[in-house]
Amino acid sequence: MSTNGSIDRGYAWVILSVSWLQVVIAGMLYYSTGVIMTAVLEEMEEGVVKTSWVGSTLLGTVMLTGPVTSSLVNLLGCRLSSIIGGILILAGMVSASFANSINMLIASYGVVVGLGMSFMETAAIVITGHYFVKYRPLAAGIQTSGAGWGMLIGAPLVRLLLDTFGLSGMFLILGSVGANSCVCGMLMRPSPFENQRSSTSENILQEEDNTNRRIVSCFFNRFREIIYEFGQILSNVSFLLYAISFATWGFGESAFQIHLPNYVESKGTSQQRSAMLFTAMGISSMIARVLGGFAANDPAIDSLILHMGTVGVAGVVIMVFTLFSDTYLQQVIFSCLYGIYTGGPIALFNPITADLVGVKRLATGYGVKNLFVGLSLLLGPPFAGMVLDASGSYDVSYLCSGAALIVASLLSIPIAALKKTNQIKQHTEADIKMNPVSIEDDKDETSAKLEHLLTSRLDSVGEKSADTA
């Protein structure tokens, strides 16, 4: 069935629905790591720094494997990639339920589940970008609001499962939740871009006679395309700055978010109420993501400026939180404010990336961004743990987290300048190509005027010399 008539309408909204559900699942798993780390710390009785590696490995794997999973999404398609992601999440969670050490949890929950989430999330983001053009910012806002729902549901659900079934039972149930990515993948029809690539591959297969040569030719042809796309994106200075900005933001966010339950519990908040902070954060983030999508759809609003302002304010909110975090009401207010100011920028990622690298390279751009962010997410929580051990207080690590978000905001300034310069350059080149004759005529007219002026001056000087004689 042709999907060309489904762009921005029809089955595109089914695609948005299933990709939204996948983002909800990813948000549940992603934002519940802080609650899980508290339970692991209690059950395995390891240090804060070592236990932090479990959550940071999950977050880091999701992002670090981005270039690999984005390439495989391009090669295998979004449908098959979603199914692979669901199977990996189920396998990783089942393995984690039998883990009896931190190292086993790092391998199963951290690496295997993280890889499955990377497949699932990349496929969801990419196929939505393929099916929407006119309403892409709005679709991105609706889709990423799923992470807010995941944040709203995830932490309280995990706390309930831990209290009812224990750590092993909780992992098993979360594995069954993640396996629903397989169902979502079944509903993903290949997009027009995927159909175009499939047609190219089929033509190559029809031109070759030998089976082995056909497979090798098809594989290397696609591999060359992927390498070329990575080269093009890595030479894009604007997008690299945007990826570094995202990575710096991820470092600061992961450093405080995984340790948030422990931090508020040290202030006297119960485990159940600490989990509810993520619910408050999820509600405000969900609203902000939808509003961010609406705002990005307005041509009068610059998405990069919106990204810069909201991330910077979020950094200030984290730093101020260390001064006003003694009561539960203050903690809820902080969670709501942080959700508001970080929900919008997440919704802007898809339209900004499509603007900087193009829709055809959206999957590759997503993978490159994840590579940068993965390193920061991997190092953020252990860094906060080491600062805690050195200073004896979470306040210092939270101040560092807020400073990281402010730096991420400032990195967005040169991106807007470079984008404006490129637009002026493109418009100038377009004018030259469209009006080469008029430009040459202007040059000839200017030369004629100069020649006439020079001749007049020489004649005037000659007349004055004659009168003097």
Side-chain angles (χ1 to χ4, degrees), residues 1 37 51 54 56 58 61 76 96 114 128 139 154 197 199 212 252 264 268 271 337 362 364 377 382 394 404:
M1 184 180 293
M37 288 311 95
T51 305
V54 178
S56 67
L58 173 75
T61 302
L76 303 175
T128 303
R197 286 169 178 164
S199 300
N212 292 330
V264 296
Q271 292 181 340
L337 289 175
L362 184 60
T364 308
L377 294 182
Y394 277 111

Side-chain angles (χ1 to χ4, degrees), residues 27 33 67 86 104 116 165 209 220 223 234 273-274 290 295 345 358 380 408 419:
T33 50
M104 289 183 66
F165 302 104
D209 295 326
F220 279 104
F223 182 74
L234 290 174
R273 298 184 87 184
S274 67
V290 176
K419 183 181 175 183

Side-chain angles (χ1 to χ4, degrees), residues 189-329:
R189 290 178 184 170
S191 68
F193 291 105
E194 292 176 327
N195 286 332
Q196 185 179 3
R197 286 169 178 164
S198 299
S199 300
T200 304
S201 300
E202 288 173 3
N203 292 335
I204 293 173
L205 291 175
Q206 292 173 0
E207 292 173 0
E208 301 288 347
D209 295 326
N210 185 274
T211 303
N212 292 330
R213 291 180 61 191
R214 289 189 313 214
I215 295 173
V216 172
S217 176
C218 180
F219 175 79
F220 279 104
N221 180 64
R222 184 65 198 126
F223 182 74
R224 284 195 298 267
E225 289 181 10
I226 292 170
I227 294 299
Y228 175 75
E229 287 181 1
F230 271 105
Q232 290 292 307
I233 287 176
L234 290 174
S235 63
N236 187 327
V237 178
S238 296
F239 181 74
L240 283 180
L241 285 171
Y242 182 56
I244 294 171
S245 172
F246 235 95
T248 310
W249 171 18
F251 179 86
E253 180 173 88
S254 64
F256 95 86
Q257 201 167 68
I258 282 186
H259 295 287
L260 180 61
N262 280 336
Y263 178 60
V264 296
E265 286 169 23
S266 69
K267 300 283 186 178
T269 303
S270 66
Q271 292 181 340
Q272 290 74 19
R273 298 184 87 184
S274 67
M276 292 303 294
L277 292 177
F278 289 98
T279 300
M281 198 180 296
I283 293 173
S284 58
S285 178
M286 176 181 59
I287 296 171
R289 292 176 195 223
V290 176
L291 293 178
F294 274 109
N297 225 39
D298 187 344
I301 299 175
D302 192 321
S303 298
L304 282 169
I305 300 300
L306 193 59
H307 167 86
M308 179 184 67
T310 51
V311 172
V313 173
V316 174
V317 169
I318 294 175
M319 299 178 80
V320 172
F321 180 54
T322 59
L323 302 175
F324 303 97
S325 59
D326 294 329
T327 67
Y328 187 66
L329 177 60

Side-chain angles (χ1 to χ4, degrees), residues 136-146 286 289-290 292-294 347:
R136 184 177 293 130
L138 177 60
I142 295 173
Q143 182 197 45
T144 56
S145 71
M286 176 181 59
R289 292 176 195 223
V290 176
F294 274 109

Side-chain angles (χ1 to χ4, degrees), residues 13-23 124 183-185 187-188:
W13 298 105
V14 177
I15 294 295
L16 179 60
S17 299
V18 296
S19 64
W20 176 85
L21 183 57
Q22 285 183 309
V23 174
V183 180
C184 295
L187 295 172
M188 289 183 175

Side-chain angles (χ1 to χ4, degrees), residues 419-432:
K419 183 181 175 183
K420 188 68 175 178
T421 302
N422 290 334
Q423 288 177 345
I424 294 173
K425 183 178 178 181
Q426 290 172 1
H427 290 159
T428 303
E429 290 175 351
D431 290 341
I432 292 174

Side-chain angles (χ1 to χ4, degrees), residues 142-160:
I142 295 173
Q143 182 197 45
T144 56
S145 71
W149 279 99
M151 191 187 302
L152 186 153
I153 300 169
L157 175 63
V158 167
R159 187 69 259 170
L160 176 64

